[in-house]
Amino acid sequence: MAFLMTACDRQTVYSHFEHTPVTGWERNDTLIFSVDALVATGRYEENLGLRINGSYPFMQLNLIVQHTVYPSMTTYSDTVCCRLIDKQGNAVGRGVGQYQYTFPVTKLHLLAGDKLHITVRHDMKREILPGITDVGIQIVKVAEKH
């Protein structure tokens, strides 16, 4: 019952995945997400989505997520450390063969009419990362508590 009440207080205003190259995601291949003008002022949560297959060679993935709010030109940058495999070697995502993950990035207070420009790039020692098939961004409006 509590889950149903919480779900009613949240509204997804943006959700989009970008594909990464089959040959591997290069460090300088920055993924870009553009969020159109928001309808309402309020609190928003930004989440990162990943789809990874069995050829990804590491237990975690470090990503740099940078977002610029227009028209204020305010820029935020977050490093998201994504734990993909537990200590026993099991994927912690959902799926079989290809796994999907969701990680929280940040919470923002945005105004009606604000637009977001979001970039995502990996921050791993290896230049090219195999096995990452898609990276996504989701923006969710959270109802204000009264």
Side-chain angles (χ1 to χ4, degrees):
M1 183 68 134
F3 174 74
L4 292 175
M5 291 172 48
T6 305
C8 295
D9 291 342
R10 302 170 57 82
Q11 176 189 9
T12 300
V13 297
Y14 179 84
S15 182
H16 180 75
F17 276 86
E18 287 288 331
H19 300 293
T20 57
V22 175
T23 56
W25 186 19
E26 292 189 40
R27 184 184 313 223
N28 60 357
D29 286 343
T30 300
L31 302 175
I32 299 170
F33 302 87
S34 296
V35 180
D36 291 334
L38 298 170
V39 175
T41 297
R43 285 185 332 130
Y44 292 84
E45 293 178 357
E46 182 178 333
N47 299 305
L48 177 75
L50 296 173
R51 294 181 185 139
I52 296 177
N53 64 36
S55 66
Y56 184 73
F58 303 110
M59 295 178 71
Q60 70 179 37
L61 173 62
N62 298 323
L63 299 173
I64 306 291
V65 180
Q66 186 171 0
H67 27 275
T68 303
V69 179
Y70 293 94
S72 68
M73 299 299 291
T74 306
T75 299
Y76 304 91
S77 185
D78 292 291
T79 301
V80 181
C81 299
C82 307
R83 168 75 55 196
L84 307 173
I85 307 294
D86 65 18
K87 291 179 182 179
Q88 289 74 37
N90 301 310
V92 295
R94 296 184 326 261
V96 176
Q98 175 146 339
Y99 300 94
Q100 184 158 331
Y101 301 83
T102 302
F103 298 96
V105 177
T106 192
K107 295 179 182 180
L108 300 165
H109 180 79
L110 300 169
L111 304 175
D114 280 353
K115 297 178 184 181
L116 291 169
H117 177 81
I118 302 167
T119 60
V120 180
R121 68 184 192 281
H122 78 78
D123 187 31
M124 301 292 285
K125 291 180 181 178
R126 193 169 181 177
E127 281 295 319
I128 299 175
L129 296 178
I132 300 167
T133 59
D134 302 281
V135 177
I137 292 291
Q138 178 188 51
I139 306 294
V140 178
K141 184 171 186 322
V142 180
E144 300 294 326
K145 302 205 185 221
H146 300 284

